[in-house]
Amino acid sequence: ARHTSPPDGGWGWMIVAGCFLVTICTRAVTRCISIFFVEFQAYFGQDYARTAWIHSIVDCATMLCAPLGSLISNHVSCQVGIMLGGLLASTGLILSSFATSLEHLYLSLGVLTGLGFALCYSPAIAMVGKYFNKRKALAYGIAMSGSGIGTFILAPVVQLLIEQFSWRGALLILGGFVLNLCVCGALMRPISLKEDCKTAPEFLEQDYVPETEKQDLKRMFICSPLIKLWPHECLCYCSWKEYDFLLMPGFMVLAVSVLFMAYGCSPLFVYLVPYALSVGVSHHQAAFLMSILGVIDIIGNITFGWLTDRRCLKKHRYFCYLFAVGMDGLCCLFLPVLQSFPLLVPFSFTFGYFDGAYVTLIPVMTADVVGTSLLSSALGVVYFLHAIPYLVSPPVAGWLVDTTGSYTASFLLCGFSMIFSSALLCFARLAKKIKRMHLRSLTGNTALKQHIWTNGAIAYSVTAELDQKDVEFLAVDTNSFSNR
């Protein structure tokens, strides 16, 4: 289908439903793998550290291979990529039900299933961004809530399956359930948007295009009368320039901030229950804290997405994201002084809500930085950047607990990491605003003169600055190259 702009509805809601199911089958199933830990330990006779690597490998492989999912989606199709991912993930879970060692599980449940999830996750999320613009944050809120809702429903179901059919039977049934990813892939109907294809003048306006390529295009535009047809022809640079966004300063800052944000958020989900037990909270109450966090996470996904789609906040989604990440960082800083169940409950509410809030806004922020046409590739890179922090931060936090004898250092490091992530984006936005004001002042003070010449029946005009060295970074108006 061809659209000049995202339809903001119609089949888009089926895309949201498909992405919702994808998040259930990927992120929720990944979280539920921890339920098998006790069974794996008892059956294979291994300690917690070796068994815990299964979950780490799944999570890391899902994020590490996210660019591969984007690549297949861009060069083949989103439908094929998600269906292939569903088959791989299902095969990994089914093979895991026949495991005879932890190494077997590392490969089947960790690498193969994680690779399958990677092929599904970022392309499905990117597809939502193609179908929605005005209600993008709400659509992402609904789609991403599948992780929390799926965990809430699947966790007791998986426990029941283990009790009834043993861990092997439960993995086999989960393998069949994950095949629903193939159905989700079939729902992802391709869509072509106007911004997926750039005309030459539009390409020249991109900040991240190398200056040498801009100059080549300008010369061609001036010298060849045939180029006057370019504004009416679609030049799909995204097919072979789909990773040019890596040169964008805005994306570079976002990428660094994501590294610190991912490092800060991961250990809390691992160590909240052990910390609660260490301060005298009962096992039942500690588990209830995680349930609260998961349910409020869902509310944060949907309500924050809806709020940031309102007219009053839509222009300020950047700062809403900073606020959500910063609030989670503050929650981590205060956690060491919360040493009773009545104090930990408000923490779970607050942290869970803002965790759901910024998770919803990650794709929206990425789309605002790179545009919808490059969203699939950019999300692949963003989720790829989650991989190393997810793999490293829990062991580092555990080492700090072993070394210091308390959880304080671990939680403080997490808090400062997330606050730094928020502050980095804030300073970047302030620097951009100052640069824009400086640019306007230079533009206002620069004297311009025009040289006009003719080439047969075609007249061309080029704008030149009197003080060129002072304003070399100013963009040349594409109208200067138009036929007169």
Side-chain angles (χ1 to χ4, degrees):
R2 288 189 175 274
H3 295 268
T4 57
S5 61
D8 269 300
W11 190 259
W13 293 115
M14 293 301 295
I15 301 296
V16 170
C19 187
F20 176 84
L21 289 173
V22 167
T23 56
I24 290 178
C25 293
T26 56
R27 305 309 299 155
V29 169
T30 299
R31 290 182 179 182
C32 289
I33 289 175
S34 60
I35 299 173
F36 291 90
F37 278 4
V38 175
E39 302 296 327
F40 291 156
Q41 281 181 289
Y43 186 86
F44 297 109
Q46 300 292 338
D47 57 15
Y48 181 82
R50 290 196 64 194
T51 309
W53 275 104
I54 298 172
H55 188 278
S56 294
I57 293 172
V58 174
D59 233 347
C60 184
T62 301
M63 299 304 178
L64 202 62
C65 299
L68 179 61
S70 299
L71 195 66
I72 294 175
S73 175
N74 291 338
H75 290 277
V76 184
S77 78
C78 183
Q79 294 172 316
V80 172
I82 294 177
M83 288 180 177
L84 177 61
L87 290 173
L88 288 176
S90 177
T91 302
L93 286 164
I94 292 171
L95 291 177
S96 298
S97 67
F98 301 99
T100 56
S101 66
L102 281 184
E103 288 73 17
H104 186 159
L105 289 173
Y106 293 161
L107 294 175
S108 59
L109 190 54
V111 176
L112 189 57
T113 301
L115 174 61
F117 289 164
L119 298 185
C120 302
Y121 191 55
S122 57
I125 294 173
M127 188 61 72
V128 175
K130 286 183 174 290
Y131 271 84
F132 286 87
N133 183 25
K134 295 179 181 178
R135 292 180 283 187
K136 184 180 291 184
L138 174 61
Y140 271 125
I142 296 172
M144 303 293 281
S145 67
S147 177
I149 294 174
T151 304
F152 183 73
I153 296 174
L154 280 180
V157 171
V158 169
Q159 185 61 50
L160 183 64
L161 289 175
I162 292 174
E163 293 172 1
Q164 295 293 323
F165 305 105
S166 79
W167 64 268
R168 294 187 185 275
L171 285 174
L172 195 62
I173 294 171
L174 272 182
F177 173 73
V178 167
L179 275 175
N180 284 295
L181 287 169
C182 297
V183 179
C184 300
L187 292 174
M188 300 297 168
R189 181 188 296 170
I191 182 173
S192 296
L193 301 176
K194 182 180 179 180
E195 62 185 276
D196 288 340
C197 301
K198 300 289 186 185
T199 62
E202 289 169 344
F203 185 68
L204 289 171
E205 293 174 359
Q206 301 298 318
D207 293 336
Y208 56 88
V209 177
E211 191 63 30
T212 54
E213 293 185 24
K214 285 187 177 182
Q215 295 301 327
D216 291 341
L217 283 174
K218 290 172 188 174
R219 285 194 292 270
M220 292 174 67
F221 201 83
I222 293 172
C223 300
S224 175
L226 295 176
I227 304 301
K228 63 185 180 181
L229 299 175
W230 278 15
H232 307 289
E233 294 182 0
C234 209
L235 302 177
C236 287
Y237 286 95
C238 55
S239 62
W240 57 284
K241 292 286 186 181
E242 61 190 34
Y243 286 98
D244 272 341
F245 62 85
L246 293 172
L247 302 175
M248 296 176 64
F251 184 81
M252 291 179 184
V253 174
L254 177 64
V256 175
S257 72
V258 164
L259 288 173
F260 285 94
M261 179 272 293
Y263 180 91
C265 71
S266 182
L268 187 123
F269 290 95
V270 178
Y271 294 106
L272 177 60
V273 171
Y275 170 73
L277 295 174
S278 70
V279 297
V281 176
S282 68
H283 284 78
H284 176 74
Q285 290 175 329
F288 186 61
L289 289 174
M290 286 299 293
S291 297
I292 293 174
L293 200 150
V295 172
I296 300 302
D297 189 278
I298 302 166
I299 298 174
N301 284 144
I302 298 174
T303 60
F304 209 77
W306 180 82
L307 286 171
T308 51
D309 270 339
R310 301 304 94 197
R311 183 174 298 177
C312 59
L313 289 178
K314 192 168 186 177
K315 294 181 179 179
H316 306 290
R317 288 191 295 209
Y318 189 93
F319 292 102
C320 289
Y321 174 82
L322 303 187
F323 178 73
V325 175
M327 285 298 296
D328 265 2
L330 286 175
C331 288
C332 290
L333 294 182
F334 282 105
L335 185 54
V337 300
L338 307 177
Q339 299 188 357
S340 65
F341 181 71
L343 293 177
L344 288 171
V345 169
F347 166 83
S348 292
F349 271 94
T350 308
F351 186 90
Y353 181 82
F354 287 108
D355 179 74
Y358 75 73
V359 166
T360 294
L361 290 181
I362 286 175
V364 180
M365 285 278 295
T366 308
D368 289 344
V369 172
V370 306
T372 302
S373 60
L374 298 173
L375 180 58
S376 179
S377 300
L379 275 178
V381 175
V382 167
Y383 290 127
F384 169 83
L385 294 172
H386 284 67
I388 302 303
Y390 277 4
L391 189 67
V392 171
S393 57
V396 170
W399 176 80
L400 287 173
V401 173
D402 293 334
T403 304
T404 63
S406 73
Y407 291 87
T408 302
S410 298
F411 291 143
L412 289 180
L413 184 59
C414 291
F416 283 123
S417 180
M418 298 190 79
I419 290 175
F420 178 78
S421 172
S422 179
L424 181 64
L425 289 174
C426 184
F427 288 138
R429 177 53 64 95
L430 290 176
K432 185 177 180 181
K433 187 174 182 180
I434 293 171
K435 181 180 178 182
R436 189 178 300 163
M437 293 173 62
H438 182 60
L439 183 65
R440 286 176 181 172
S441 65
L442 285 176
T443 306
N445 296 329
T446 302
L448 302 177
K449 62 180 180 179
Q450 285 191 331
H451 299 283
I452 301 177
W453 75 91
T454 60
N455 180 12
I458 303 172
Y460 295 98
S461 171
V462 175
T463 301
E465 292 81 10
L466 292 177
D467 299 322
Q468 293 178 358
K469 291 184 179 180
D470 295 333
V471 289
E472 286 179 350
F473 55 86
L474 293 177
V476 177
D477 187 0
T478 56
N479 291 329
S480 301
F481 306 110
S482 303
N483 293 342
R484 294 181 179 270

